[in-house]
Amino acid sequence: MTVATTPAPARPKARRQRRPATPAQILSVVAIAAVAATIAAATSDASPTGQPALDAAWRAALVVACTVAGARARRWSLVVAAGIVTIGAADWWSIAGLAALATTFGLAWDQRRSRIVGSIAGALIGVTALHLGWPTATFATAVVAAVAVGVVCASAYRTSSRRVRRRVRIAAYVTAALMVLGMVCAAAFGLTQRSTVQQAIDEAMSAADAVGASSTEASTEGFASARTKLDQVVAAAERPWMLFARAVPVLGANVGSVRDSAAAGADLAGAAERLSAQVDYERLQLPGGGIDLAVLRSFAAPVADAEATLAQAERTLADASSPWVLAPVAERLTDLHDRVKAAHGDATTARLAVEAAPGILGADGARRYLLMLGNPAEARDLGGHLGNWAEITTDGGRIDVVRVGTPYELFGPTGPDRPFLAETDGYPRSLLEMNPTRFPQNWGGTPDLPTVARLAAQLYPQTAGGGPLDGVIYADPTAFAAALSITGPTTVPGTTTTIDASNAAEYLERGQYAEFDQESKGDQAVTELVRHVLDQLLEGPLPSPAAVATAFGPAVDGGHLKFVTLHDTDRPLLNRLGVDGAVQVEDGADLLAVISRNANPSKIDSYLERTIDDRVSWNPDTGEVRSQVVVTLTNTAPAEGLAPVVGLPPPGGSPGTNRTELAVLTPLRTTGASIDGVRAPIGTRTDLPGLLRHTVSLDLAPGQSRTVVFDLSGHLDPGDYRLRWVGQALANPDQARLTIHSSGAPFLGGVEAG
């Protein structure tokens, strides 16, 4: 007999529960969590709220949660989490990740469970998760950390008892509620303060610009109004209930950034307000010209206060930067930070000016300066040959033009009164070969203005009426045009020609030679013109610092205006202003100067155009560098119709031909040179300290372009490639390009080749 049976239904698989933890285990886990939380709070820079205390609390809470979860989590989850943080760990923190990985592998290998060992693994995972550097130290690392910690916590939740899971849910609900409350507070702050914040940041930027420009016309009342509005924004952000908003990750960082921006803006507005009230640049003017040094010295305290305030504001804004800040806020923050940084630099320059200017202006005794007016229509290393000169003295703030003259009024090439150089050490041979003791127009035969100043200091006192020099100013027609933007248009003596800032450079470089049939008449007219404009500039109403910067800033940037003194106390200011004209190469760095010299002589260089292409191959691992400097020269002069002094043909050449010596200054040796693809003879010699001078000679017929290639090589410091470009201020600006190819490590930012 067969009996039919029905199989019993399968029972659901019971979830495996762990036995309750013993008191010793609980104490051990608590101790491990406390140590890990302390390490995380002290070593990690993770700042989701932007508030140091709150961020430390969040870091500690994350590690505590990961430690406690590790005591309950399954072994596979610990292995996965440890692997994730080990891959993403930054620097030596990967050791902590490896330790967590080894610990979890040990548990899996022995097929045993241990709350204490699991909590150690969880603590290591949590601490490492706060020190990730891959893929990038922004939201990406936060996501990686969240995944790793989430795997551990999810596993621990699944293995916990109903009572524990209920407590976890309650804690999660409370945390979520507090975050919602923070969001509500932040929304209320945004709705009530949005327009004020917008106005506050805009006015803060205006205040920064005003401080940077040292504007004396800015309204003190307007600055006070801006400061009041900004203080209101700060006060609103610091109300007690805003603590809920500032405690929420990401949201808190954005609220904090707005608060810090407003606070920095308030400080800026306050500094601008004080500066506007205490610094009145109109009081600097002495009757009849010059600067009141007592008034200038009185500016020291408010300028120093503005510099200190801007420095603190710059630090505040830098600290407010965070990867958690949303793009619109971050852009405004970056814009304000850039403006504050620029204003801080201007304030530092103003402080140095207040400190050094009295000495430059003769506070400690009269000073004498030689103004060299170069004309790049006939090129020299410094820019142009010495066309005119002026002796300027300062004494107690008074500035006087003693005399203005032409080169041969200093001395002539055949006269018996030629000066001599008692010391020739320290002068480049290429300068001495231009015979500056015979031809004063060649005093600019080196691009280094301090060297020119030392030369002039030896020679000028030996000239008729000359005396000891305290410094040298170099200016060319572009700088002269900048002066006319302050003094206004003027008429060239002996003509009906009116020149202003727009046409003065072209007139001095070309027009004067077409207007005067005799060179001596042109020299006399230009000498009178220079004297007239200098008198107007130095004796007229004192322009504001902003007007001076606007007028002469481009000329300084282009090398058309330079100034160096022989007093060490003046160097920090002149160097910071970028006017000292010093050509120096740092040890282990590169430098390139492309220099044209008129070899005829004639005034044909006003038609010379240059294109420079420097192609560098750089191995940052060894420091080996190869450079190919390609210079294309074009003579745009017409073959006919040029004034005799302009189109004067060189020996063996046709009218309008430009005979040029082209050189490069560099620390690299040359392996050869070519002109239009044909190997060319090249002369090499030492020049300024640490630099070699490689020179070729060539002729350019009217309308002709020719290409010169210098092949250079050498070894510089490995690691970083640093190049200083030294421009030559010619009549026509260079078109220059630098291309760097790395044969070793990639460039900063990950670019494989330039």
Side-chain angles (χ1 to χ4, degrees):
M1 183 175 63
T2 302
V3 179
T5 60
T6 304
R11 293 184 179 181
K13 187 176 180 179
R15 182 169 51 86
R16 181 165 50 188
Q17 299 284 349
R18 292 190 177 185
R19 287 176 292 180
T22 66
Q25 290 175 330
I26 294 174
L27 288 175
S28 297
V29 172
V30 169
I32 293 168
V35 172
T38 302
I39 293 173
T43 62
S44 174
D45 59 357
S47 51
T49 70
Q51 310 301 309
L54 293 173
D55 289 332
W58 275 110
R59 294 194 295 266
L62 182 143
V63 172
V64 167
C66 199
T67 302
V68 174
R72 293 177 172 272
R74 296 186 184 279
R75 287 163 293 184
W76 68 265
S77 65
L78 294 174
V79 172
V80 171
I84 291 173
V85 297
T86 301
I87 293 173
D91 302 324
W92 62 272
W93 284 101
S94 59
I95 296 174
L98 290 172
L101 197 60
T103 301
T104 55
F105 268 124
L107 287 175
W109 183 266
D110 289 343
Q111 292 291 311
R112 64 187 180 87
R113 303 176 185 277
S114 171
R115 293 182 186 274
I116 295 175
V117 176
S119 66
I120 292 174
L124 290 170
I125 291 169
V127 171
T128 308
L130 291 171
H131 293 88
L132 301 183
W134 181 90
T136 56
T138 54
F139 284 110
T141 51
V143 172
V144 173
V147 170
V149 175
V151 167
V152 177
C153 291
S155 177
Y157 181 82
R158 288 177 59 83
T159 62
S160 297
S161 64
R162 289 190 177 90
R163 182 178 63 178
V164 171
R165 286 188 288 171
R166 184 168 58 251
R167 291 175 179 175
V168 170
R169 289 195 298 271
I170 292 173
Y173 294 151
V174 171
T175 302
L178 292 175
M179 288 189 173
V180 170
L181 179 59
M183 294 177 185
V184 172
C185 293
F189 173 77
L191 290 173
T192 58
Q193 299 296 321
R194 179 183 178 187
S195 60
T196 306
V197 168
Q198 188 69 32
Q199 294 176 17
I201 293 178
D202 290 341
E203 292 182 3
M205 291 179 177
S206 298
D209 289 341
V211 174
S214 299
S215 172
T216 58
E217 299 178 357
S219 169
T220 302
E221 182 178 342
F223 285 130
S225 174
R227 177 175 52 80
T228 300
K229 290 180 181 178
L230 292 161
D231 284 337
Q232 290 173 355
V233 175
V234 173
E238 292 180 342
R239 291 191 177 102
W241 54 83
M242 287 300 294
L243 180 62
F244 293 105
R246 302 184 75 176
V248 178
V250 181
L251 182 63
N254 285 270
V255 173
S257 293
V258 172
R259 184 265 173 207
D260 291 343
S261 299
D267 290 340
L268 288 176
E273 179 186 356
R274 293 189 296 274
L275 198 64
S276 177
Q278 299 176 44
V279 177
D280 181 3
Y281 288 93
E282 293 182 358
R283 293 193 296 120
L284 284 174
Q285 180 81 53
L286 284 173
I291 294 176
D292 191 322
L293 299 183
V295 174
L296 179 61
R297 288 191 177 103
S298 73
F299 295 167
V303 168
D305 172 61
E307 181 189 20
T309 301
L310 285 160
Q312 180 57 50
E314 185 179 350
R315 289 191 294 269
T316 298
L317 291 170
D319 293 341
S321 177
S322 168
W324 301 102
V325 176
L326 300 178
V329 178
E331 289 175 2
R332 301 290 291 176
L333 191 65
T334 299
D335 192 6
L336 179 57
H337 181 263
D338 290 344
R339 290 176 181 245
V340 171
K341 186 176 181 179
H344 180 207
D346 291 340
T348 300
T349 302
R351 175 182 58 79
L352 291 173
V354 172
E355 293 173 355
I360 293 173
L361 293 170
D364 304 318
R367 288 195 183 186
R368 179 185 288 109
Y369 302 107
L370 178 65
L371 171 60
M372 296 174 54
L373 293 165
N375 194 332
E378 186 177 333
R380 294 292 185 272
D381 301 40
L382 195 59
H385 86 306
L386 179 60
N388 286 92
W389 57 270
E391 180 183 316
I392 298 175
T393 62
T394 61
D395 189 5
R398 295 283 182 183
I399 307 174
D400 294 307
V401 180
V402 178
R403 56 184 183 148
V404 179
T406 60
Y408 289 150
E409 290 181 61
L410 295 173
F411 55 86
T414 59
D417 55 350
R418 283 172 50 193
F420 66 94
L421 284 173
E423 298 179 2
T424 59
D425 293 342
Y427 296 109
R429 193 163 20 141
S430 61
L431 169 61
L432 298 178
E433 287 178 349
M434 298 194 76
N435 209 344
T437 61
R438 183 181 182 188
F439 300 106
Q441 57 266 52
N442 290 344
W443 284 8
T446 174
D448 184 61
L449 186 61
T451 299
V452 174
R454 289 192 295 108
L455 178 78
Q458 279 203 67
L459 299 182
Y460 185 73
Q462 302 177 53
T463 64
L469 289 179
D470 292 279
V472 168
I473 306 166
Y474 174 81
D476 69 5
T478 299
F480 188 83
L484 290 178
S485 70
I486 292 177
T487 63
T490 189
T491 301
V492 178
T495 73
T496 58
T497 301
T498 299
I499 59 173
D500 57 23
S502 66
N503 65 358
E506 193 278 336
Y507 178 81
L508 292 174
E509 292 165 356
R510 294 187 185 182
Q512 63 163 314
Y513 305 117
E515 184 157 30
F516 295 98
D517 55 359
Q518 296 182 19
E519 189 174 354
S520 59
K521 291 183 179 180
D523 290 344
Q524 180 181 355
V526 172
T527 299
E528 294 177 14
L529 173 67
V530 170
R531 180 65 189 247
H532 173 69
V533 173
L534 286 177
D535 286 341
Q536 279 193 312
L537 181 67
L538 299 177
E539 296 178 4
L542 190 67
S544 70
V548 172
T550 300
F552 290 104
V556 171
D557 292 341
H560 304 282
L561 178 62
K562 305 174 184 179
F563 175 36
V564 68
T565 77
L566 302 175
H567 298 265
D568 292 342
T569 54
D570 304 333
R571 289 180 183 173
L573 172 64
L574 301 180
N575 179 267
R576 185 173 184 84
L577 291 172
V579 299
D580 63 351
V583 178
Q584 297 175 328
V585 59
E586 299 179 18
D587 289 340
D590 200 359
L591 179 146
L592 180 64
V594 179
I595 297 171
S596 294
R597 276 184 181 176
N598 185 292
N600 190 18
S602 67
K603 313 304 178 186
I604 196 69
D605 289 326
S606 62
Y607 294 94
L608 179 65
E609 295 182 354
R610 309 192 312 180
T611 299
I612 302 169
D613 188 0
D614 185 17
R615 307 163 185 173
V616 177
S617 177
W618 162 245
N619 188 327
D621 300 321
T622 65
E624 181 182 6
V625 60
R626 294 183 179 275
S627 175
Q628 188 176 71
V629 182
V630 182
V631 185
T632 300
L633 303 174
T634 302
N635 180 10
T636 63
E640 299 178 351
L642 295 172
V645 72
V646 177
L648 179 68
S654 59
T657 296
N658 189 323
R659 178 161 292 176
T660 292
E661 288 186 359
L662 182 69
V664 293
L665 282 184
T666 173
L668 305 177
R669 65 183 184 275
T670 179
T671 57
S674 64
I675 300 176
D676 297 331
V678 178
R679 203 74 171 172
I682 183 170
T684 295
R685 62 188 59 186
T686 58
D687 202 86
L688 295 166
L691 296 173
L692 297 172
R693 186 185 190 100
H694 310 299
T695 306
V696 298
S697 299
L698 68 158
D699 283 356
L700 295 160
Q704 185 180 22
S705 291
R706 305 192 71 182
T707 299
V708 181
V709 178
F710 297 90
D711 293 312
L712 310 173
S713 66
H715 278 82
L716 305 174
D717 284 347
D720 296 325
Y721 179 74
R722 305 183 307 279
L723 172 71
R724 181 180 178 191
W725 165 260
V726 179
Q728 185 180 16
L730 298 175
N732 301 301
D734 290 331
Q735 301 295 320
R737 181 176 66 176
L738 169 67
T739 306
I740 305 175
H741 291 273
S742 172
S743 58
F747 290 112
L748 295 178
V751 179
E752 294 296 337

